[in-house]
Amino acid sequence: MVSKKSRSEVRVKKHNRMRNRFAGTPARPRLAVFRSNNHMYAQVIDDTVGNTLVAASTLDKDVKAELEKTNDVAAAAYLGKVIAKKAQDAGITEVVFDRGGFIYQGKIQALAEAAREAGLNF
């Protein structure tokens, strides 16, 4: 009998394949996105030393206060603006986008496009 792999296993395997192709550097760090059923998380990471330079999520009090729901496309777009602003305040304008094995549509796409509009280049 053929057993089907869970979606989370498939996502992790895709993410590992993607991570073999790129990594964050000091000049161009990695914008990593994770989406759970209830929240979204975004981090700007320098992989050479393993440091998180900037982070934001829908769990942050200032972000959560602005949102009606934390798990919809509008929340993802707002989080994209927030992470782009925090990155620019830290002097980061160029990043590599790491969608974390998720397909590029819906919330992931909304976050990426909002971050681009707010001034991040990727």
Side-chain angles (χ1 to χ4, degrees):
M1 184 168 160
V2 177
S3 63
K4 190 174 181 181
K5 289 186 179 177
S6 70
R7 284 183 181 220
S8 60
E9 287 177 358
V10 171
R11 185 195 69 79
V12 168
K13 198 168 181 182
K14 277 184 194 175
H15 190 206
N16 289 335
R17 280 197 311 261
M18 288 173 50
R19 290 282 288 117
N20 286 331
R21 283 186 270 151
F22 57 81
T25 63
R28 193 167 177 182
R30 176 172 58 100
L31 172 60
V33 177
F34 178 74
R35 175 178 66 83
S36 71
N37 287 338
N38 296 322
H39 295 283
M40 286 198 72
Y41 309 84
Q43 302 179 71
V44 177
I45 304 168
D46 177 6
D47 287 318
T48 56
V49 289
N51 282 349
T52 299
L53 307 172
V54 178
S57 75
T58 55
L59 285 171
D60 297 343
K61 285 186 179 182
D62 54 340
V63 175
K64 199 172 188 177
E66 296 290 323
L67 301 173
E68 188 174 321
K69 292 175 68 177
T70 59
N71 63 347
D72 59 355
V73 174
Y78 185 72
L79 184 63
K81 291 177 190 172
V82 169
I83 194 71
K85 184 180 181 325
K86 284 186 176 184
Q88 288 177 337
D89 291 344
I92 301 165
T93 57
E94 292 274 329
V95 295
V96 176
F97 186 65
D98 177 8
R99 58 186 173 88
F102 299 102
I103 56 175
Y104 187 80
Q105 71 177 24
K107 298 172 195 170
I108 303 295
Q109 183 179 6
L111 186 142
E113 289 175 355
R116 279 190 191 109
E117 288 176 12
L120 280 183
N121 295 324
F122 57 91

